[in-house]
Amino acid sequence: MNEPVIAIEGLGKSYGGRVVVDQVSFRVDPGECFGILGPNGAGKSTTLRMIIGLTPADRGSLRLFGRGDPASLRACHARMGIVPQEETLDEDLTVHENLLVHGRYFALREEWLAARIETLLPFAQLTGQREQAVRTLSGGMKRRLTLARSLVANPDLVVLDEPTTGLDPQARHLIWQRLRQLREEGVTLLLTTHYMEEAARLCDRLLVMNHGRILDLDTPEALIRRHVEPEVVEIRSRRGPLPREIAATLPGRHELVGDTLYSYTNDASALLEEIRQQPGLLFLHRPANLEDVFLKLTGRELEE
């Protein structure tokens, strides 16, 4: 069996006596797209920072590409591409210059680097912007450039911290296409995201965490099967708030959130028939999804 690209056992980190990552263990296999889901403050970004070497772990073990000693880990970091959550492009340089300067950090041969940049510009759909200053680019263009920059040294592993946050649907779909292309080429991907659709479309396996701990880890399909019934009906009143006693009259498992009653069931036919007999109700019938899993495991209350 191939050595995992990332192998973590009992990893932990605390700040000022507060545990932010608590006994986290998982592995990422070669060519896999592995996702980490969790609300703000769950410990996702801290876990990534420990993996890429920006934050030292307080406890536990971390192995990259089968190596775990500090000297080897530093060398392993050169095999990574990083797409940070914050924008770190040099706004005064052009698109081409950002890629060129980043490539020189890796001491790449100038001829090889020049050829690599010529493949990355069309990959990121930035050929027409190669001499354009970064400060003039749209948000989607900057995000595509950040992805291209992470690939300059032809990494084996790309780590992406919320890669499509703030992008419009067209830009997000283009990033998804490029990430799928990388995976098909054998690049291993590790990402955090708040977009459930993104996680479902891209990830082979997902780790759900909150308060620094792992809540579950499996394929998106297995997580849905394990935690929620296959059919969901969202019910609202046409006028005013939904009466709380309405759940008692309907079959299935229910959860009232704000003005919406979420009904979970293995077969929605009886539930839908009951709803149709009450003209004051609106409903949406859909299959269960990752958002249902996420909210069940991490809670629906907003945590600041």
Side-chain angles (χ1 to χ4, degrees):
M1 186 173 181
N2 290 334
E3 191 82 41
V5 173
I6 301 170
I8 287 174
E9 188 67 38
L11 204 66
K13 182 68 182 178
S14 300
Y15 290 108
R18 182 173 67 91
V19 177
V20 294
V21 176
D22 188 7
Q23 300 294 312
V24 167
S25 302
F26 64 88
R27 60 181 282 161
V28 179
D29 294 320
E32 180 178 30
C33 181
F34 187 95
I36 302 178
L37 295 177
N40 290 331
K44 307 184 303 296
S45 293
T46 301
T47 300
L48 290 194
R49 289 177 62 86
M50 288 189 284
I51 291 171
I52 66 180
L54 292 181
T55 297
D58 294 336
R59 51 200 167 273
S61 66
L62 167 65
R63 295 178 66 83
L64 300 175
F65 303 103
R67 310 296 294 275
D69 59 285
S72 294
L73 287 177
R74 283 192 292 272
C76 290
H77 291 145
R79 299 175 61 183
M80 291 184 185
I82 310 297
V83 178
Q85 187 178 144
E86 305 81 12
E87 198 56 76
T88 58
L89 297 167
D90 192 322
E91 300 245 328
D92 293 324
L93 298 182
T94 67
V95 168
H96 178 265
E97 288 168 341
N98 266 272
L99 297 175
L100 185 64
V101 169
H102 189 74
R104 286 173 175 166
Y105 292 146
F106 293 88
L108 302 172
R109 288 188 299 106
E110 289 293 324
E111 300 83 2
W112 189 94
L113 176 57
R116 180 65 175 166
I117 291 174
E118 293 309 312
T119 67
L120 291 174
L121 288 171
F123 173 86
Q125 288 195 7
L126 291 171
T127 303
Q129 290 77 34
R130 65 177 295 143
E131 301 305 331
Q132 192 171 330
V134 166
R135 65 176 175 272
T136 67
L137 299 179
S138 68
M141 289 177 180
K142 288 180 180 179
R143 208 60 183 149
R144 299 200 309 267
L145 178 56
T146 299
L147 176 59
R149 187 187 61 177
S150 74
L151 302 173
V152 164
N154 199 21
D156 298 303
L157 167 67
V158 179
V159 179
L160 309 105
D161 195 0
E162 298 184 23
T164 64
T165 296
L167 298 186
D168 60 41
Q170 291 88 349
R172 185 176 301 128
H173 277 267
L174 180 58
I175 294 289
W176 292 347
Q177 291 170 20
R178 294 303 184 253
L179 293 179
R180 284 194 293 266
Q181 181 178 333
L182 289 173
R183 185 180 171 280
E184 289 167 3
E185 294 171 357
V187 178
T188 304
L189 304 176
L190 171 65
L191 66 90
T192 70
T193 181
H194 282 132
Y195 294 115
M196 299 301 116
E197 183 185 5
E198 181 165 278
R201 285 173 177 261
L202 296 177
C203 296
D204 299 296
R205 290 189 299 145
L206 287 167
L207 180 157
V208 184
M209 66 187 302
N210 199 14
H211 302 299
R213 294 185 175 183
I214 294 177
L215 303 179
D216 207 347
L217 192 167
D218 214 321
T219 66
E221 298 79 11
L223 289 172
I224 294 170
R225 286 196 304 269
R226 182 149 62 241
H227 291 287
V228 290
E229 292 84 348
E231 298 184 48
V232 182
V233 181
E234 301 179 16
I235 308 165
R236 290 189 296 110
S237 173
R238 290 182 182 274
R239 297 182 182 85
L242 192 70
R244 287 188 169 271
E245 60 272 14
I246 194 71
T249 70
L250 300 174
R253 179 175 68 87
H254 310 288
E255 184 179 5
L256 183 63
V257 182
D259 65 350
T260 303
L261 182 71
Y262 291 82
S263 295
Y264 302 92
T265 178
N266 290 309
D267 182 355
S269 55
L271 174 61
L272 295 174
E273 181 62 29
E274 183 68 28
I275 293 172
R276 291 187 180 103
Q277 294 177 17
Q278 302 189 39
L281 299 181
L282 298 170
F283 69 91
L284 171 66
H285 178 211
R286 60 172 175 81
N289 57 36
L290 274 178
E291 185 168 311
D292 298 308
V293 175
F294 181 85
L295 292 173
K296 181 178 180 181
L297 291 179
T298 65
R300 292 183 181 269
E301 295 299 320
L302 181 64
E303 298 182 14
E304 303 283 10

